[in-house]
Amino acid sequence: MEPLRPARLEFADDGTPYSSAYGDVYHSAHGGPAQARHVFLGGNELPQRWQGRDRFVILETGFGLGLNFLAAWQAWRVDPQRCRRLHFVSFEKHPFSAADLAIAQRAWPEFAELAAQLQARWPLLTPGVHRLFLDDRQVILTLFFGDATTQLRQLDASVDAFFLDGFSPARNPELWTPELCRALSRLAAPGATLATWSVAGHVRAALEAAEFDLEKRPGFAGKRQMLHGRFRSRRPDRHTPPADRRAVVIGAGIAGCTAASALAGAGWQIDIIERAPTPATGASCNVAGVLRPLPSADDNRLSRLTRAGYLATRALLQSLPDARWSPCGVLHLGREPLHEATQQRVVDRLQLPAELLQFVDRERAGEMLGLPVEAGGWWFPQGGWVNPASVCRAALAAFPGRIREHYGVTVDRLESTQTGWRLLAADGSEIASAPVVVMAAGVGAPAFVEFAWLPQKSARGQVTHLPPDPARTLAHVVCRHGYAMPEVDGIRLTGATLQPNDPDPSVRADDHAENLARLRLSLPGYLGPEDPAPLAGRTGFRPMSPDRLPIVGAFPDPATIQGQPRLPALPRHPGLWCVQGFGARGIVWSALMADLLVSRLEGDPLPLEIDLVDAVDPGRFLLKSRARPQDDDAFDDRT
């Protein structure tokens, strides 16, 4: 993706927000809120059309200063007959900073409370999709930062109302082309409407060709006319909400707990089943794990997914007051001069916000750590460490009464029924049943017949627990040949080994020696003469996918595949889903993948671009023509 170019806040002589780049204003000089209500809400017959609905989806072609969103949110809030959940999807090629939004939105005191919430959750200005949950997760704002002319192709949604609000066709013709109008038609739900203040002839022609019946209506203030449209196609809705919101989640690690919590937040009733006596006893039981994105010069799928996951995880952590984490910053040092130079090029190429990614040279890195280092590298100022067990507990407690927890319970097998799935114990007794089962058992998933074909590997990893030492403390997480943590709960954590297909659960002195050797390479002079033999540690088993991407989606049934269908046409086990294959990145991916799971089950707009959704779909492993796995040799999963 190309680097974002943020908008610059400017004003016309009359005080109306103005863009010199496009030579146009952001809203009418006669009153922005009134224009939003007349043109976009009234033009789409809102709030009447969302009343009594389970879900309503609005798509806007230019977020600008957020005026139309704030007007829609406020109208939804005060409507006693409002839909259960309101989705607002908006595209913005040149987003404003949170500071500029705060300045501009002062002009609308009627939105002050809502605007403050929006500003507090406003994402870093990075390319891609950003999801904001508001009003107890009942209002969901999905922002696409990038060019709508290309990004619309990456959206999967069923849209009920379109707010066509780019700059004028004369100033910004790309947002009013026949191609863009056809992209809107692809997303339109049955009976979808549109509204815009533009009545230009070529705009009307493009919309009519895209299957919208149009009529002119009285415009706002000094503008004589505006445009209303209704989608004429009678095709069935591709996304319908479930009738029965019950699910069973197998596995109470960070993948299962965040999935259960996200489902509960969407109104589902969840049973989560774990064979261990408490949650987070498997791969999620480490004292702490690293939270930071993983950039690459070409911003490939892995890079985009980890950036999106990192931002989603930070948002989740900020919403869970009992989750234990520290945004102490992460230094990812170059392993050798060539790698360090590559890191510098990545920062220069991506031009991401300094709050997300910087490059620091060797001298600066040494100053930050108070230790001599051999190389500079990436600095993630808002990264840090996370205690995954606390996230699991906090996520399960976030929606009281919606999640039933079952520990010390082993599911032996699944049984398909006419109404869903039964989960059976070894003696054949029923443990639970529901229309939907979500497999989040990590390395245990392939033990189930339905998941036996899954090309997921178990990778043993051992971390080393160093005792506290006031003379050897770190202010930041450090990654190089391995990782080293600041002191957490009286432990200085370092690791981790990576041994595929090694089932040994013991803590081994040889592995401690390996971790210590990598730490000495990473931070010469940090360690004393530690003897690995008496050190404590922990061994866990990571579920690794062949392409190092997560495995999330409706689970395919390979026995029913005929020919070579495309990914969307793969036959699936009805009601069987998975969140698997997180490897060493469970902390980074869990929140985002939980959101993706819920969105697909609910038929909601997806929180990722279509190509990334396809990249994590479990069906990718069944397609002979699948793309070559991402080359991630430069980055070890252990770090």
Side-chain angles (χ1 to χ4, degrees), residues 374-501:
E374 296 177 339
W378 288 325
W379 167 235
F380 305 101
Q382 296 182 354
W385 61 261
V386 177
N387 174 258
S390 72
V391 176
C392 291
R393 292 190 296 268
L396 292 176
F399 301 99
R402 295 187 190 171
I403 301 176
R404 293 186 292 260
E405 302 170 51
H406 309 267
Y407 299 110
V409 177
T410 299
V411 180
D412 181 71
R413 61 190 184 277
L414 306 177
E415 180 179 275
S416 177
T417 71
Q418 289 185 342
T419 58
W421 293 87
R422 298 174 68 219
L423 286 74
L424 304 177
D427 63 4
S429 61
E430 181 177 296
I431 297 170
S433 64
V436 170
V437 168
V438 179
M439 179 59 65
V443 296
F448 293 86
V449 171
E450 293 81 2
F451 294 86
W453 66 266
L454 187 66
Q456 176 184 270
K457 303 295 184 184
S458 173
R460 180 186 180 279
Q462 181 176 311
V463 297
T464 298
H465 296 173
L466 296 170
D469 184 344
R472 294 181 174 86
T473 60
L474 294 173
H476 315 292
V477 177
V478 180
C479 301
R480 194 182 182 201
H481 298 286
Y483 63 80
M485 299 270 190
E487 185 178 313
V488 182
D489 296 340
I491 296 170
R492 293 179 297 146
L493 197 71
T494 188
T497 60
L498 181 68
Q499 293 129 346
N501 301 316

